[in-house]
Amino acid sequence: MLAYGTVFLCSSLITLGTGNVHTPNMVLVFAMFYGGIMQTLVGMWSLFLGVVFSTYGGFNFTYGALYLPRIGLAQAYSVNGVVTEEFTHAIGIFLAICWITFLFCIGSLRTTFSVVFTLGSTVCALCCLSASCFTGNAHLNTAGGALGIVATFGAYYGGLSGLYSGECTFKAIRLPPLVLSYSNA
């Protein structure tokens, strides 16, 4: 959850133009090494728990690869060194594959609130970002970046609530595990 949140936080801050940074290459470091490698390893180690970590590890690797010059994706969609609208639409298609996150969100309804909140916010963020790629609407891009930060808070809360549990920390810094309750009625 922490790796997931950190990649999304970095990407969202750059999407929002924080610090006047607009070149997304910084996301490459987080997406490849922290999000990609760490989530893939966690996914392999906890395969019996499900596939969400491995899936997002793979997503982060592919997202990072978009910005690797040797892969040549941006170059393939460029004319005379200028990226075309086709590249923006291709990124929109890549982000539109958020339906898998929607399926994970539905599957997570029996887990904790922080996981459902994180995945639900992620679906909304990816939908806004994808729509922005197709329409060029800056408001959708801003909404996607803001929703990405919201999803980050859910991911951080979910990751830290396990770390700051009664078995691991002092009483002064515990976070309550927001668990959804179900009735058998």
Side-chain angles (χ1 to χ4, degrees), residues 10 104 139:
C10 180
F104 284 147
H139 296 296

Side-chain angles (χ1 to χ4, degrees), residues 22-123:
H22 301 284
T23 306
N25 292 25
M26 178 54 90
V27 179
L28 174 68
V29 176
F30 287 107
M32 297 294 280
F33 298 104
Y34 190 40
I37 291 173
M38 291 307 296
Q39 285 183 292
T40 301
L41 289 174
V42 167
M44 289 186 326
W45 292 327
S46 62
L47 192 58
F48 61 92
L49 296 175
V51 295
V52 70
F53 293 113
S54 296
T55 299
Y56 287 116
F59 177 84
N60 283 320
F61 273 129
T62 56
Y63 186 74
L66 294 173
Y67 302 102
L68 286 173
R70 293 253 187 222
I71 300 239
L73 264 153
Q75 183 181 359
Y77 292 97
S78 298
V79 175
N80 297 326
V82 177
V83 176
T84 64
E85 183 180 58
E86 185 182 12
F87 181 68
T88 306
H89 290 178
I91 297 294
I93 291 169
F94 177 80
L95 294 173
I97 302 178
C98 64
W99 64 268
I100 190 83
T101 302
F102 178 72
L103 295 176
F104 284 147
C105 186
I106 291 171
S108 73
L109 291 175
R110 295 185 57 99
T111 63
T112 63
F113 177 75
S114 61
V115 172
V116 174
F117 179 81
T118 300
L119 293 174
S121 300
T122 299
V123 168

Side-chain angles (χ1 to χ4, degrees), residues 8-9 11 13 16 29 69 81 113 117 121 141 153 167 178 183:
F8 217 167
L9 178 63
S11 177
L13 289 172
L16 294 172
V29 176
F113 177 75
F117 179 81
S121 300
N141 196 49
F153 287 123
E167 297 83 30
L178 299 173
S183 65

Side-chain angles (χ1 to χ4, degrees), residues 119-157:
L119 293 174
S121 300
T122 299
V123 168
C124 294
L126 292 177
C127 286
C128 286
L129 293 170
S130 177
S132 173
C133 287
F134 288 108
T135 65
N137 186 327
H139 296 296
L140 286 171
N141 196 49
T142 301
L147 286 166
I149 291 174
V150 168
T152 296
F153 287 123
Y156 281 175
Y157 188 91

